[in-house]
Amino acid sequence: MNSAVAILLAAGIYLGMYFSYGKALQNKVVRADPNRPTPAHRLYDGVDYVPAHPLVLYGHHFASIAGAGPIVGPAIAMAWGWLPGLLWVWFGNVFIGAVHDYLALMSSVRYDGKSVQWIAGKLMSRRTGIAFELYIWFALLLVVAAFTAVIAGIFHKTPEAATASILFLVTAIIVGWLMYKTSLHFVGSTLVGLTLLVISVWLGFKYPIHASYHAWAIFLLFYIIIAASLPVWILLQPRDYLNAYILWFGLILGGLAFIIIGSKGTFTAPAYTTWSAHVVGGKPSPFWPTIPLVIACGSLSGFHSIVGSGTSSKQLDNEIHGLMVGYGGMFTEGFLSTIVIASIAVYGIKVFADAGIDINATNWAAIYAPKVAHVVGKVGIFAKSYAYGVQDAFGIPYKTGVVFASLWVSAFALTSLDTATRLGRFAWQELFGMFMDTSSGTGKTITNKWLASIIIAGLGVALAWGNQWLILWPAFSGMNQMLASIALMTAALWVTKVQRAGKWSWAVLIPALFLWITVTLALLWFLVVVVPGISAVATRYAVGIITLTGIGLNFLLAFDFWEAWKRPAEEYEAAKA
């Protein structure tokens, strides 16, 4: 296969399924109504509930769900060869990921923007809501840890991207002020933002900020505490909206580049290496069931349900926009992962050669993942492969391509990082709200937004301090994918018992059960095979305890789902929004 075939095939799959399968979900399952007022209007508060232009919300939602996930996961999964990863991305997108994202968003919209864990508690039991809330908080803790490690690593190795990213945050604040506090119209604010964005990139080249991995980790600690507590219009909405332009430019540039190079873009990496390549923690990892420990956001992700039901549902201006935001956002992420796989399949061997590493079809399965993680760089392998592609297609200097791709990844990872911290704050507040009065006294202190943000941010950065990448990533991915199966089970109950969608219920239930079985086996394998071999004692116990807790909560939630599924639909009349 060559890169042009892969890109065009992916585009055809996504466009075809969006206008067929996606529209069917919108019309036959959700039954979206453009005249039904959304929570953003009914519950407007100027902080979390704020109607957003559909493009602004699409930008926020995609940037928040993507982060480094659709890049890092597929890049590491290349250890199995390009074909297994590509198939997991495409099938996962169509039958699990996009369905999961859209239904999580729209079910939340029907319940006043409440979280997926709150909906689970309403449809199953109070115990379910508490267990799910606890599970999500631990999962978000691993998100903060994993993405702190990604961003600190990028900033350390590509200081130009660090400067550009920081200036980009300042640009977002300026655009937020222009959009919401001045009479400058939407188009004018966008033009100002894009101009400042270009200047930020230029200044990044001129004045790179050099700092150590740990210095950047400390910087990120303070950043996410502040960013997670600010009103969404100040930073989150405008930053993510501008991020969408980086995304579109990067996707269009990369897509066209790998189509243009055509036959020159023949895949040089092996299509398939071995069933058990050395991937997770450097151990021989069977493709099934461990693939969800590696490819998370690029194919499907439970984190998306937290974003969709945590921030996006509170900003949806019209129910009809939900398909583009939720369903379309997942497909856009899958297209990005396709570009990642195609670029490494074409130029990966060349990037390794630049680093003085002899890799070929014979030794690929054994050395690829460890060398990517510790020598070439888990983000660098994509950034450098992408840069070679745009250089060969358009003559863009290689260094420019590397910095742009690194900025691309860091910009999205920053959004996932501070969005995860904000969602962790929500989960913390909701959890304690189930046990005590949070309007005054001790309850009010414990659920204070600053304290809630400091706790998850501090613990997450502490986990990332040792930069145990090949351990943190699969731990995050496993909890994340298990969350997706539980969110899909919740969606299946909503679709079947509340929406009364008939045969469409199977389109949700079957993927949920398949994913639950797969990830449960993967996490058990991870706990038994990988965790005991973690060298850092503190990391070993922390990751082991979090994983074991997640597995226990996972079985409890599956039991509660089964008990709820057996109840007749008539009992759910009171649960209708």
Side-chain angles (χ1 to χ4, degrees):
M1 183 182 285
N2 63 50
S3 60
V5 173
I7 300 300
L8 292 172
L9 187 56
I13 290 172
Y14 291 138
L15 286 173
M17 296 304 291
Y18 181 91
F19 288 105
S20 57
Y21 203 56
K23 288 290 186 180
L25 288 172
Q26 174 184 265
N27 299 328
K28 297 179 180 180
V29 176
V30 173
R31 295 188 281 275
D33 182 357
N35 299 313
R36 187 197 303 257
T38 63
H41 290 282
R42 291 187 290 101
L43 304 173
Y44 176 85
D45 63 4
V47 179
D48 295 313
Y49 290 85
V50 180
H53 188 284
L55 289 179
V56 173
L57 184 55
Y58 169 83
H60 154 69
H61 183 79
F62 177 81
S64 296
I65 65 173
I71 294 172
V72 174
I76 296 175
M78 284 290 292
W80 285 295
W82 57 261
L83 183 59
L86 204 56
L87 292 177
W88 182 257
V89 166
W90 289 348
F91 283 100
N93 278 177
V94 170
F95 297 111
I96 306 178
V99 176
H100 163 278
D101 288 21
Y102 180 56
L103 294 181
L105 170 66
M106 296 309 298
S107 60
S108 175
V109 167
R110 295 290 173 82
Y111 288 105
D112 291 340
K114 292 289 199 302
S115 64
V116 66
Q117 58 269 32
W118 183 93
I119 297 171
K122 184 176 182 65
L123 297 180
M124 298 184 207
S125 68
R126 183 173 181 272
R127 181 182 70 181
T128 306
I130 295 172
F132 204 172
E133 200 80 67
L134 189 60
Y135 183 97
I136 282 176
W137 191 86
F138 276 111
L140 288 169
L141 174 61
L142 288 173
V143 173
V144 173
F147 284 100
T148 295
V150 170
I151 301 167
I154 294 174
F155 285 0
H156 172 58
K157 293 183 178 180
T158 313
E160 297 89 348
T163 302
S165 296
I166 293 172
L167 292 175
F168 178 47
L169 296 176
V170 176
T171 295
I173 293 173
I174 293 172
V175 171
W177 178 76
L178 291 174
M179 282 185 170
Y180 288 96
K181 298 300 179 181
T182 72
S183 58
L184 188 64
H185 51 73
F186 177 77
V187 175
S189 300
T190 298
L191 292 175
V192 171
L194 293 177
T195 301
L196 292 176
L197 179 58
V198 172
I199 294 173
S200 298
V201 175
W202 177 74
L203 290 174
F205 276 97
K206 295 284 290 184
Y207 305 103
I209 300 176
H210 296 271
S212 68
Y213 171 88
H214 292 112
W216 283 121
I218 293 172
F219 166 79
L220 291 171
L221 171 64
F222 286 99
Y223 163 72
I224 59 178
I225 291 171
I226 296 170
S229 303
L230 293 173
V232 292
W233 65 267
I234 293 179
L235 176 62
L236 186 144
Q237 275 191 359
R239 189 257 334 264
D240 294 352
Y241 168 58
L242 293 175
N243 262 342
Y245 285 94
I246 299 177
L247 157 74
W248 293 329
F249 179 75
L251 286 179
I252 292 171
L253 183 69
L256 289 177
F258 285 100
I259 290 174
I260 288 172
I261 60 177
S263 60
K264 294 181 181 178
T266 298
F267 290 176
T268 58
Y272 173 77
T273 57
T274 180
W275 183 254
S276 296
H278 290 71
V279 184
V280 182
K283 304 289 186 181
S285 311
F287 179 78
W288 191 91
T290 67
I291 181 60
L293 300 184
V294 179
I295 297 184
C297 307
S299 179
L300 57 109
S301 170
F303 178 62
H304 298 187
S305 68
I306 313 178
V307 174
S309 67
T311 58
S312 299
S313 63
K314 297 176 178 64
Q315 301 173 63
L316 193 70
D317 183 53
N318 190 299
E319 284 196 355
I320 296 299
H321 299 161
L323 189 68
M324 179 182 75
V325 173
Y327 201 81
M330 181 71 257
F331 276 7
T332 310
E333 189 169 297
F335 188 69
L336 169 56
S337 291
T338 302
I339 290 178
V340 171
I341 293 171
S343 63
I344 298 173
V346 176
Y347 294 104
I349 289 178
K350 182 176 178 60
V351 172
F352 276 108
D354 291 344
I357 300 169
D358 180 21
I359 190 170
N360 51 59
T362 302
N363 62 9
W364 185 283
I367 73 171
Y368 176 87
K371 293 297 184 183
V372 162
H374 299 298
V375 181
V376 179
K378 58 266 186 184
V379 174
I381 185 69
F382 161 69
K384 294 169 183 176
S385 297
Y386 181 91
Y388 274 127
V390 297
Q391 176 180 263
D392 287 350
F394 302 111
I396 296 174
Y398 172 74
K399 178 65 175 177
T400 302
V402 171
V403 172
F404 171 74
S406 299
L407 171 63
W408 185 2
V409 180
S410 62
F412 288 131
L414 275 170
T415 65
S416 290
L417 183 59
D418 62 43
T419 298
T421 308
R422 179 182 292 264
L423 293 171
R425 166 168 69 86
F426 290 165
W428 180 272
Q429 292 168 327
E430 286 183 353
L431 184 61
F432 280 94
M434 295 176 179
F435 298 102
M436 61 177 66
D437 177 14
T438 59
S439 62
S440 61
T442 304
K444 185 176 182 179
T445 300
I446 291 175
T447 58
N448 175 272
K449 67 178 181 179
W450 292 101
L451 178 61
S453 298
I454 288 170
I455 289 172
I456 192 168
L459 291 174
V461 172
L463 273 175
W465 195 256
N467 198 17
Q468 296 282 313
W469 175 252
L470 286 179
I471 301 301
L472 282 178
W473 187 260
F476 144 70
S477 294
M479 291 284 283
N480 181 32
Q481 305 298 61
M482 184 56 71
L483 171 59
S485 72
I486 299 168
L488 266 177
M489 289 178 182
T490 302
L493 275 176
W494 180 66
V495 167
T496 305
K497 307 292 186 177
V498 179
Q499 293 297 99
R500 307 287 182 88
K503 64 182 181 180
W504 278 96
S505 301
W506 294 104
V508 187
L509 182 60
I510 292 174
L513 295 178
F514 167 76
L515 192 60
W516 188 89
I517 293 169
T518 300
V519 186
T520 298
L521 292 175
L523 281 175
L524 290 171
W525 175 90
F526 178 75
L527 190 65
V528 172
V529 176
V530 178
V531 171
I534 300 175
S535 57
V537 176
T539 303
R540 182 196 312 152
Y541 281 105
V543 171
I545 290 171
I546 292 174
T547 303
L548 187 60
T549 302
I551 292 172
L553 291 172
N554 162 54
F555 278 102
L556 175 62
L557 290 165
F559 175 79
D560 286 351
F561 165 77
W562 174 243
E563 290 295 304
W565 185 264
K566 291 188 298 183
R567 296 202 298 265
E570 289 72 24
E571 293 187 20
Y572 289 86
E573 285 299 318
K576 288 187 176 180

